[in-house]
Amino acid sequence: MEIRQVTAADAEVYRDLRLEGLQTNPEAFGASFEEEKDLSIESFASRLEGQGTFTFGAFDQEDLLGVATLVQANKMKLKHKASIFAVYVSSKKRGLGIGKQLMVEIINQAKSLVDVEQINLTVVSSNESAKGLYKSLGFHVFGTERNALKIGQQYFDEDYMVLYF
């Protein structure tokens, strides 16, 4: 397995994994499957080329098994922060340490960016395995948003976590 930055050339496998995630764990994303299922490959490719945006993937040959995205804030007063979004490992490949490898790569990328001093992320409060991973890497909860997401008639709380370095 190889952890590397996902590029526009990987847009098709990225799209497939993203749509899988949106269907399998809709509570883990702010976006929905319905909003993204008809987007073009080009729109997924452009996401992967954004300035200050770094998406890393775990690849087994050409198969994309997991992803995580880091976005550095671009406003002067916020440049000391980066945020992690869209962490997902295929349900068929969980429990193999892929999420941890992706997060370590994301943290290393953040530490290499000029001005970045902290990383923020949100995680569904009931996702104990993800929270455990993030805590093992030094993140801590600094707040909880009740009813952060609503899927149908069900609400999900999100914990806000931060890693300072």
Side-chain angles (χ1 to χ4, degrees):
M1 186 178 55
E2 174 190 19
I3 305 292
R4 66 168 173 82
Q5 195 163 349
V6 182
T7 68
D10 303 308
E12 193 165 338
V13 292
Y14 172 73
R15 176 188 181 271
D16 293 345
L17 186 67
R18 172 114 174 129
L19 293 178
E20 174 191 316
L22 292 171
Q23 283 188 298
T24 305
N25 293 101
E27 75 286 353
F29 300 91
S32 71
F33 176 79
E34 293 74 22
E35 290 170 312
E36 297 204 4
K37 66 182 174 68
D38 296 324
L39 295 177
S40 68
I41 293 295
E42 293 74 27
S43 106
F44 285 93
S46 70
R47 279 186 197 177
L48 299 169
E49 296 177 330
Q51 188 170 359
T53 300
F54 307 88
T55 298
F56 285 90
F59 288 86
D60 181 8
Q61 310 294 335
E62 286 81 42
D63 294 333
L64 183 58
L65 310 176
V67 292
T69 298
L70 177 77
V71 178
Q72 182 178 10
N74 59 9
K75 298 207 180 291
M76 187 179 300
K77 296 178 187 176
L78 301 175
K79 281 190 169 201
H80 66 290
K81 296 192 266 186
S83 297
I84 295 175
F85 299 101
V87 178
Y88 179 74
V89 174
S90 177
S91 58
K92 297 170 257 185
K93 297 294 180 175
R94 292 182 186 161
L96 302 174
I98 293 170
K100 184 172 187 171
Q101 290 179 60
L102 285 165
M103 288 298 296
V104 166
E105 193 64 37
I106 286 281
I107 291 167
N108 289 337
Q109 177 66 44
K111 287 180 176 179
S112 76
L113 297 173
V114 176
D115 299 324
V116 173
E117 301 170 8
Q118 71 185 67
I119 307 171
N120 296 334
L121 61 80
T122 60
V123 59
V124 170
S125 300
S126 60
N127 190 342
E128 294 300 331
S129 62
K131 286 177 17 180
L133 168 62
Y134 302 146
K135 286 177 182 178
S136 77
L137 295 168
F139 286 83
H140 70 271
V141 174
F142 67 90
T144 300
E145 181 182 357
R146 292 196 54 224
N147 299 339
L149 298 172
K150 184 178 180 183
I151 302 172
Q153 297 305 308
Q154 186 175 5
Y155 292 95
F156 295 88
D157 298 345
E158 284 188 332
D159 289 341
Y160 287 75
M161 300 185 80
V162 65
L163 172 67
Y164 296 102
F165 45 85

